[in-house]
Each structure stands twice: as structure tokens, then as C-alpha cells.
Amino acid sequence: MAREIERKFLLKNQDWKPLAFKQTHFAQGYLNDISDHKAKSSVRVRIEGEQANMNIKSLEIGLSRDEYEYSIPLEDAQKMLNTLTVGPVIEKIRYLVKHDSHTWEIDEFLGDNAGLVVAEVEMTSEADQVPIPDWAGREVTEVVRYYNISLSKYPFKEWNDDEKK
């Protein structure tokens, strides 16, 4: 079992973009409906460039949660995204940006979530002190609507202006 520990931020500007050393197209969808209050995890299939995986995460809000990830055949992932997902498939471009000793993952969403850009930084422990770059804005680690699974049910294009602040 792995434990994912990360912080999420909105971005102040595009100053990060010239610093990106890699970008990859992602398409992902969820195979279970978490609105059932008995659900303990989200189950996701993701295509990341030419690779595919199945991911299971515990439904915890905050810095850390259990995460399991397994490689699956690309053809299987494509079929699952086309036939088995609950809600729309989320598409985004993920950029990698190095800042100090951490690699930041910056997701620029497409489709129904276009206009939303979220930066995540993974940490080695909850006590890890991460230097925050100047281009990082408000922290949204504990704001549920910014989680990908929430975006698959309530996309950014449907948010009112107050929710986008």
C-alpha cells in the first residue's frame, strides 16, 4: 500500500509555464459513484500519454490518503473510458515543473473543466516543508470541489463566480 501525501494550489499567473520540462495528455474516468455514502474509495481508470492504469484511492479529504495503482493494457483503458465511467471523462494536460527539490504537477483542464488550472506537490511526509513558488496562489488541499472525482460530477463550467474564487 502507498500513501499519497500532497498539497493543492490554484495559480496566480502563468509564470510557471516556461519552467515546465514535460507535458502529457491525460484522460480519466471514475468507475464508481461516490455519492453513495457507504463508498470508501474512488476507482479510476486513466490514460496518461500512451500508458494506462487503474487507481484506487481512499475517500479522505486532506493531505494524505491510501492509494493503489496498477498498470493495465491501453486498449482496456480506452474501452472502460468509453463504456464504464460514471460521469464525464476528465481531460487535462499535466505539466511538470521543478521548484527547489520538489516536482510540481500542474493540471490545465480541458473540456467541461476548461479554465481551471491546479498545481499539486507530493510530499514525503505530512511534516515535509515545501517551499511555495511565487506563482502558487490559494491552497485548496481541503476544498472538495477541486478533487478530480468532484470535477467529474460537478464540472468547472457549471460553477458560479463565487465558487471560482
Side-chain angles (χ1 to χ4, degrees):
M1 173 182 69
R3 190 88 175 145
E4 174 187 62
I5 306 168
E6 68 182 11
R7 293 174 69 185
K8 292 177 178 280
F9 295 84
L10 299 180
L11 299 176
K12 293 179 186 175
N13 53 47
Q14 297 261 326
D15 291 354
W16 59 270
K17 212 160 195 177
L19 306 173
F21 63 87
K22 182 178 181 182
Q23 71 181 53
T24 307
H25 180 268
F26 280 61
Q28 65 188 45
Y30 292 87
L31 304 182
N32 64 328
D33 183 355
I34 63 156
S35 60
D36 172 6
H37 297 291
K38 294 179 185 175
K40 294 183 178 182
S41 64
S42 66
V43 181
R44 172 186 76 199
V45 62
R46 174 188 276 171
I47 297 175
E48 181 178 333
E50 297 300 316
Q51 306 293 316
N53 61 59
M54 178 77 64
N55 175 283
I56 303 162
K57 284 187 184 182
S58 60
L59 289 177
E60 300 169 71
I61 302 304
L63 286 178
S64 61
R65 52 198 161 158
D66 294 338
E67 179 178 32
Y68 306 86
E69 191 164 89
Y70 307 97
S71 294
I72 61 173
L74 182 60
E75 299 76 27
D76 290 357
Q78 290 167 332
K79 184 160 186 170
M80 285 187 253
L81 286 177
N82 289 330
T83 62
L84 300 178
T85 57
V86 176
V89 171
I90 292 177
E91 291 194 68
K92 58 190 177 183
I93 304 295
R94 173 164 288 170
Y95 300 87
L96 299 182
V97 175
K98 190 88 165 154
H99 181 73
D100 273 2
S101 61
H102 291 84
T103 299
W104 288 68
E105 297 175 342
I106 300 174
D107 291 340
E108 187 172 45
F109 289 87
L110 308 171
D112 288 350
N113 291 298
L116 178 61
V117 182
V118 177
E120 298 178 352
V121 59
E122 290 203 15
M123 301 157 33
T124 55
S125 76
E126 289 192 13
D128 192 3
Q129 296 297 312
V130 178
I132 308 301
D134 292 340
W135 38 261
R138 181 168 67 99
E139 184 166 5
V140 293
T141 301
E142 297 190 16
V143 182
V144 176
R145 73 175 166 264
Y146 290 101
Y147 284 60
N148 285 306
I149 193 155
S150 296
L151 294 171
S152 74
K153 298 184 86 43
Y154 185 43
F156 187 70
K157 76 173 189 174
E158 295 178 14
W159 296 12
N160 64 44
D161 288 340
D162 289 336
E163 291 173 306
K164 291 180 179 180
K165 292 180 184 174

